[in-house]
Amino acid sequence: GAGVSQSPSNKVTEKGKDVELRCDPISGHTALYWYRQSLGQGLEFLIYFQGNSAPDKSGLPSDRFSAERTGGSVSTLTIQRTQQEDSAVYLCASSKQGGGTEAFFGQGTRLTVV
Amino acid sequence: QKEVEQNSGPLSVPEGAIASLNCTYSDRGSQSFFWYRQYSGKSPELIMSIYSNGDKEDGRFTAQLNKASQYVSLLIRDSQPSDSATYLCAVIATGTASKLTFGTGTRLQVTL
């Protein structure tokens, strides 16, 4: 596709349920990021994939959060046993290579846990 | 010390004035620097990238990089109300496997 695609755009889930958020990066982009943004707050780094290297998971807030990237392309962020504090916009970005090139964001997934 | 620091603002400038947004970073070896604009309720949009010392101009936007002083700035000339947004500075630091690190952003308000 022309840009980074995220789905769904909006997700409402009940507390305690698991959710999966999908990110389809720009074709050929080897680096992929996940960020979280709560209302009125800055970007919170979650996880970074770069090619075949082990992902940088240092930003994942708890073991309820996990992410995978299959075949170096599509990525899925999974949140288990969702809590109300997980409500936020989850943003995905990709870049052509890890060093020196620009990253482009998808439109985000707004997650609401009720 | 945060890796990338920005004043949260809001920075208020009148229409037609120059808006100056600043960012400092902690890793002296950083090589890549970016400015993103984020409108309320939207995702960040890349507006400028700069990799070497000096100025880089693109339309009404000028990015300035000073590696010796470890700061990068964004100037917006002839500010318009449509420039009102949060501006995010991002840096790729050395030794981070090229990971992009963002500042918390500066909110700019352009007043009529």
Side-chain angles (χ1 to χ4, degrees):
Chain A
V4 179
S5 179
Q6 292 187 246
S7 60
S9 298
N10 284 283
K11 176 73 176 178
V12 179
T13 190
E14 293 181 351
K15 178 181 173 181
K17 300 283 189 182
D18 298 352
V19 295
E20 287 189 351
L21 312 180
R22 177 187 168 106
C23 174
D24 212 329
I26 294 171
S27 178
H29 280 197
T30 59
L32 187 147
Y33 305 80
W34 282 100
Y35 295 89
R36 178 169 72 173
Q37 190 171 37
S38 300
L39 190 62
Q41 302 299 308
L43 296 175
E44 178 187 2
F45 167 75
L46 297 178
I47 189 167
Y48 168 54
F49 295 91
Q50 168 55 316
N52 295 321
S53 302
D56 177 353
K57 303 179 181 180
S58 61
L60 294 178
S62 77
D63 59 8
R64 295 187 296 105
F65 288 73
S66 63
E68 64 177 17
R69 189 176 184 192
T70 53
S73 182
V74 172
S75 177
T76 302
L77 177 69
T78 301
I79 308 173
Q80 295 178 312
R81 305 181 302 282
T82 51
Q83 303 295 313
Q84 287 186 328
E85 60 263 29
D86 299 334
S87 296
V89 175
Y90 289 81
L91 291 161
C92 174
S94 72
S95 67
K96 192 171 186 179
Q97 63 185 46
T101 58
E102 298 90 346
F104 299 92
F105 281 83
Q107 82 281 11
T109 293
R110 182 176 298 279
L111 175 66
T112 304
V113 182
V114 298
Chain B
Q1 182 187 9
K2 292 183 180 178
E3 294 177 63
V4 182
E5 297 209 45
Q6 296 181 255
N7 187 315
S8 61
L11 172 66
S12 185
V13 299
E15 183 179 5
I18 296 175
S20 177
L21 303 158
N22 299 310
C23 169
T24 59
Y25 58 94
S26 61
D27 184 348
R28 182 170 291 277
S30 298
Q31 296 294 321
S32 304
F33 308 87
F34 309 91
W35 283 100
Y36 287 79
R37 176 177 62 198
Q38 186 175 27
Y39 292 114
S40 180
K42 301 293 186 182
S43 59
E45 170 194 14
L46 178 71
I47 53 173
M48 290 285 286
S49 59
I50 186 166
Y51 304 102
S52 53
N53 274 330
D55 295 0
K56 179 182 178 182
E57 187 174 318
D58 183 1
R60 295 187 296 112
F61 298 99
T62 299
Q64 299 176 317
L65 175 59
N66 184 323
K67 290 186 178 181
S69 301
Q70 294 174 240
Y71 82 77
V72 55
S73 61
L74 179 70
L75 301 179
I76 306 174
R77 289 182 300 281
D78 188 24
S79 295
Q80 301 297 309
S82 58
D83 295 325
S84 298
T86 295
Y87 289 80
L88 301 164
C89 172
V91 175
I92 294 179
T94 55
T96 63
S98 303
K99 188 177 81 178
L100 198 59
T101 299
F102 282 86
T104 54
T106 298
R107 189 156 65 92
L108 173 67
Q109 294 178 335
V110 180
T111 58
L112 296 171

